[in-house]
Amino acid sequence: MISFGIKDILDILIVGAILFYIYKLMKSSGTISLFYGVLLFIMIWVAAAEVLDMKLTGTILDKFMSIGLIVLVILFQDQIKRFLIEIGSRGHFSQLKRIFHHGPKEENTYHGLVMSVVYACLSMSKSKTGALICFQRKVPLDDYEKTGDIIDADINTRLIENIFFKNSPLHDGAMIIARRRIISVGCILPVSHDMHLPKHLGLRHRAALGMSQASDALCIVVSEETGNISLAIDGIITTNITSSELEKQLSDIFV
C-alpha cells in the first residue's frame, strides 16, 4: 500500500516552487527553450530509469546526466549566480528596516535623486541625446563597472547630461548607478539576441534588454533617433514610457 503524507506534499511543493522560480529566471533571461529541453531530457531519464526500468537506456542516460550537470553549470553560470544572490539577499530585511527608520528628511533626499535622473532623461529626450543608464538592484554589477571609467560621483542632472553629450568622450557605453551614486560610465553591457525585439530598436535597446536578462538591473534608454524613453527590467523592455512611470520605477529602487 502506498503511503502519502504531509512530508510528501511538502516535498512536491518544494520541487514545484524551485521549478517555477527556475522557469521565471530562464524566461526573463531569454533561455526558456533551453529550460524546456533540459526538463524534457530529465523526464525521459526518470521514465526510462525509474518507471520502465530500462537498464541499458537508464545506464546511458545516467552517464549523460553526470556530465550534463557540469555542462549546465557552465551554461547557466550567470543564472545560478543570480539565483544564489537573490536567495541570500537581505533586501526583505532592508525593506522592513526602511519602513521603521526612514524619516521625512531621508525620503526627501531619495526623491531628489530620483528627480535628478528623471529631469536628465527628459532633457536628453527633448534634444534627442542618446543615453543608456543602468541601475543596480540586488545583483552586483562589479564586472560591468570595470569595463568603463570609474568616477564614483554624486547623482546630478547636469553631470548626467554632460556625460551623454554627443561631443563628450564618455558618451558611448552605459552609465552604471549603484548605492545611490554614479559609479562608472562608458561601460560595456551584454547584448540581447532576442529575435522578437523590433527591428527599429538599436544597439542601446539591445544592450539594455541584455543587461536586464543577465541580471536584475533596471536600464533606461533614451533614443537618439526619436527621443523616446524606454525601460528594460526583468527581461522585458517597454518603449515610450512617461515621466511619471519612470519616476515610479526609480522610486522603488532608491526608496
Side-chain angles (χ1 to χ4, degrees), residues 9-199:
I9 296 174
L10 184 62
D11 190 22
I12 294 173
L13 289 175
I14 292 174
V15 173
I18 292 174
L19 287 176
F20 178 71
Y21 184 83
I22 294 174
Y23 167 78
K24 287 181 62 180
L25 199 61
M26 295 297 104
K27 188 176 181 180
S28 66
S29 63
T31 55
I32 189 63
S33 298
L34 191 56
F35 171 76
Y36 287 143
V38 172
L39 191 60
L40 180 60
F41 182 83
I42 293 175
M43 291 172 64
I44 295 173
W45 171 60
V46 171
E50 301 295 332
V51 179
L52 302 177
D53 196 23
M54 302 169 66
K55 297 189 181 298
L56 180 60
T57 306
T59 302
I60 295 174
L61 293 178
D62 283 340
K63 298 296 182 182
F64 274 109
M65 284 298 296
S66 60
I67 300 173
L69 289 175
I70 300 175
V71 175
L72 287 177
V73 170
I74 296 173
L75 289 175
F76 296 115
Q77 55 181 326
D78 291 334
Q79 287 78 10
I80 292 172
K81 179 181 178 181
R82 177 176 170 181
F83 174 73
L84 295 175
I85 289 174
E86 290 191 6
I87 288 179
S89 172
R90 297 169 58 190
H92 300 295
F93 299 103
S94 299
Q95 289 172 5
L96 290 175
K97 185 178 178 182
R98 292 188 192 110
I99 292 174
F100 293 105
H101 293 282
H102 272 187
K105 184 177 180 180
E106 196 171 5
E107 292 289 348
N108 290 335
T109 301
Y110 295 157
H111 183 71
L113 296 177
V114 169
M115 295 314 297
S116 295
V117 178
V118 172
Y119 289 147
C121 290
L122 289 176
S123 176
M124 292 186 292
S125 175
K126 290 179 181 178
S127 61
K128 292 186 178 181
T129 301
L132 175 54
I133 306 175
C134 181
F135 293 84
Q136 176 181 296
R137 295 166 74 193
K138 293 180 182 178
V139 179
L141 305 178
D142 299 349
D143 293 338
Y144 302 104
E145 293 171 6
K146 295 174 184 176
T147 63
D149 296 304
I150 306 295
I151 62 173
D152 192 17
D154 292 332
I155 297 174
N156 181 278
T157 300
R158 288 187 178 180
L159 177 59
I160 295 174
E161 291 180 44
N162 286 333
I163 287 174
F164 287 111
F165 182 64
K166 294 179 182 179
N167 294 330
S168 168
L170 300 176
H171 80 282
D172 283 331
M175 171 186 292
I176 293 181
I177 295 179
R179 301 173 293 279
R180 305 184 189 97
R181 293 181 65 80
I182 300 173
I183 302 298
S184 185
V185 294
C187 301
I188 301 173
L189 305 185
V191 178
S192 173
H193 299 285
D194 189 347
M195 301 300 295
H196 300 291
L197 198 65
K199 299 294 183 182

